[in-house]
Amino acid sequence: MAIGRARALFDRAVVWPVSNRTTLVRMASAVRQKNNDRLHATLDEEVPYDLRTEMVRLLAVPENQRVSELERLRLGPMQVSDRIMELALDRAL
């Protein structure tokens, strides 16, 4: 009789997540959000104010420019001339 009860318990344990999928998704999402919030709070406490201010400044897009300073630094000092672009296209074809 104990095997029958164990089997019924197992069957219910398998059926419940399938029939309550949206509940599980919401629960997982809530746990993920809580962990992200805790991580951000920890990082916010550890980063000095001056560094935080400088990081925010790097994200701002200056007037009359297309990209932020951070993006400009990420791309590096590369400027492609018309001739270099033409040679690259010839190689690609």
Side-chain angles (χ1 to χ4, degrees):
M1 191 67 166
I3 292 175
R5 288 183 190 166
R7 175 70 183 176
L9 183 60
F10 178 80
D11 289 344
R12 288 184 69 186
V14 170
V15 170
W16 188 88
V18 173
S19 62
N20 293 293
R21 183 176 309 225
T22 56
T23 302
L24 288 174
V25 169
R26 275 195 304 263
M27 288 171 62
S29 178
V31 168
R32 187 179 306 118
Q33 184 63 47
K34 184 176 178 181
N35 285 337
N36 283 341
D37 291 345
R38 191 170 58 221
L39 173 64
H40 290 133
T42 301
L43 290 174
D44 189 50
E45 291 170 2
E46 297 297 322
V47 176
Y49 179 78
D50 296 340
L51 178 59
R52 189 177 324 133
T53 304
E54 182 65 19
M55 290 169 62
V56 169
R57 187 193 66 75
L58 288 174
L59 293 175
V61 178
E63 193 172 324
N64 300 326
Q65 291 191 12
R66 292 182 172 194
V67 296
S68 68
E69 183 67 12
L70 182 63
E71 184 68 9
R72 190 189 68 74
L73 291 171
R74 188 185 71 80
L75 293 175
M78 178 181 69
Q79 291 186 351
V80 179
S81 68
D82 295 343
R83 180 72 183 135
I84 298 294
M85 184 62 92
E86 186 179 324
L87 291 172
L89 288 172
D90 287 341
R91 282 194 310 269
L93 298 175

